[in-house]
């Protein structure tokens, strides 16, 4: 079942790329495995999946220890500064950097562990009160400051779009994030790569791909609904 789901999502990404005239290699599917047990991750790992997304530090570290080391772990959830030290040398990328203070902590720990951490700056493009992320208009100032820190490589931007019934409603936000990344790229700021856009979830990833996503983060569409009542 998981493999069929995974293949179907990949197929829909193929189609969205074709529709938008994009090369399929530009888009990577991240399997968002939060709350799901290790055997389910193993199953799609065996099927070829190497990119997994988690939103809790402890859970990411636990799974990291149990699963093969060629997995690219993506930290996609809100990150507390006091937990940064547990993951800097384990994650492939942190998608959820939304403040200079958090970036400074990541930088400090990266220097300590002698590694470079790839990050994305999370932008609250839809301006939702309930969401983390920097405001669109503050993003350029923030990336300019983060770019000065050692041990950090800014790769692009991430957003969590609103929960909507009709994915088309989110097209405007994906398009805005793409435009913002283009604006930043044109500023040619040292130590900033703007080649990564993490946007699109189960309900809207096809629209996100059409608008330029390079990472889509799909959980429910692969693993099924999450059960938060169980203590996993
Ligand atoms: C849980 C989560 C997802 C996946 O959501 P689905 O709707 O299950 O695909 C994607 N991104 C973030 C940041 C998440 O926390």
């Amino acid at each position: 079942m998981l493999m069929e789901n995974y293949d179907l999502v990949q197929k829909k990404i193929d189609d969205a790329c074709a529709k938008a005239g994009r090369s399929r290699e530009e888009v990577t599917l991240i399997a968002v495995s939060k709350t799901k047990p290790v055997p389910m991750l193993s199953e799609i790992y065996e099927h070829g999946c190497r990119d997994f997304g988690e939103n809790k530090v402890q859970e990411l570290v636990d799974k990291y220890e149990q699963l093969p080391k060629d997995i690219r772990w993506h930290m996609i959830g809100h990150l507390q500064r006091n937990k940064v030290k547990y993951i800097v040398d384990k994650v492939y990328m942190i998608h959820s950097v939304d403040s200079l203070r958090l970036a400074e902590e990541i930088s400090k720990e990266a220097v300590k562990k002698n590694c470079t951490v790839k990050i994305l700056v999370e932008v609250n493009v839809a301006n939702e009160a309930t969401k983390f992320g920097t405001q669109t208009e503050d993003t350029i100032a923030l990336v300019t400051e983060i770019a000065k820190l050692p041990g950090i490589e800014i790769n692009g931007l991430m957003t969590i779009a609103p929960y909507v019934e009709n994915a088309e409603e989110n097209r405007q936000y994906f398009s805005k994030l793409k435009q913002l990344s283009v604006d930043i790229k044109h500023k040619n700021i040292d130590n900033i790569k703007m080649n990564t856009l993490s946007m699109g979830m189960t309900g809207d990833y096809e629209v996100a791909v059409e608008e330029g996503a390079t990472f889509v983060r799909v959980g429910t569409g692969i693993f099924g609904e999450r059960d938060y009542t169980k203590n996993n």
Side-chain angles (χ1 to χ4, degrees):
M1 192 62 200
L2 288 191
M3 289 188 274
E4 284 85 350
N5 292 346
Y6 183 78
D7 289 345
L8 182 62
V9 174
Q10 292 282 19
K11 168 78 171 68
K12 288 185 175 174
I13 295 172
D14 295 350
D15 294 347
C17 283
K19 186 174 166 196
R22 298 186 62 199
S23 153
R24 180 60 185 82
E25 288 76 58
E26 291 175 23
V27 187
T28 300
L29 169 59
I30 298 175
V32 176
S33 47
K34 63 191 186 198
T35 79
K36 299 299 176 182
V38 167
M40 286 179 95
L41 280 70
S42 294
E43 191 176 331
I44 58 163
Y45 173 87
E46 294 300 335
H47 189 57
C49 180
R50 292 295 178 272
D51 290 271
F52 290 87
E54 290 286 337
N55 69 341
K56 294 217 160 60
V57 166
Q58 185 62 51
E59 188 174 347
L60 190 154
V61 171
D62 285 348
K63 288 174 175 170
Y64 172 92
E65 281 161 4
Q66 297 177 60
L67 284 156
K69 289 296 169 282
D70 62 342
I71 288 177
R72 291 181 289 265
W73 293 99
H74 298 262
M75 177 61 192
I76 61 173
H78 184 64
L79 181 56
Q80 287 170 309
R81 282 180 300 141
N82 61 351
K83 296 196 174 156
V84 166
K85 57 177 176 284
Y86 302 116
I87 59 161
V88 280
D89 55 349
K90 298 187 176 65
V91 287
Y92 172 73
M93 190 177 277
I94 300 175
H95 292 229
S96 44
V97 178
D98 62 355
S99 72
L100 184 58
R101 268 157 48 104
L102 175 59
E104 284 169 343
E105 184 65 23
I106 294 168
S107 169
K108 193 183 95 191
E109 292 298 328
V111 168
K112 231 191 246 176
K113 295 201 164 71
N114 200 19
C115 60
T116 300
V117 183
K118 294 182 199 298
I119 67 145
L120 304 177
V121 169
E122 179 173 352
V123 186
N124 186 357
V125 265
N127 209 356
E128 287 182 286
T130 53
K131 293 267 167 72
F132 292 106
T134 185
Q135 297 304 113
T136 305
E137 57 275 19
D138 300 333
T139 307
I140 293 178
L142 180 60
V143 294
T144 305
E145 287 308 306
I146 295 176
K148 297 173 186 166
L149 301 171
I152 287 193
E153 186 181 283
I154 303 177
N155 279 232
L157 306 176
M158 177 270 223
T159 197
I160 303 175
Y163 181 79
V164 289
E165 290 291 327
N166 176 2
E168 284 299 330
E169 291 172 39
N170 281 338
R171 188 180 292 277
Q172 55 178 321
Y173 301 122
F174 299 141
S175 146
K176 267 190 190 164
L177 194 71
K178 170 74 187 187
Q179 188 56 52
L180 181 59
S181 80
V182 169
D183 292 346
I184 294 172
K185 199 178 223 163
H186 286 162
K187 293 196 176 293
N188 284 319
I189 305 164
D190 277 350
N191 195 29
I192 294 186
K193 291 184 192 159
M194 271 291 144
N195 51 23
T196 304
L197 277 184
S198 170
M199 57 188 195
M201 307 177 19
T202 296
D204 54 21
Y205 65 91
E206 293 156 278
V207 173
V209 168
E210 287 171 26
E211 295 300 324
T214 65
F215 279 127
V216 293
R217 311 177 307 264
V218 177
T220 311
I222 297 171
F223 296 104
E225 296 290 334
R226 286 176 292 273
D227 182 358
Y228 287 104
T229 61
K230 276 190 293 188
N231 192 22
N232 52 11

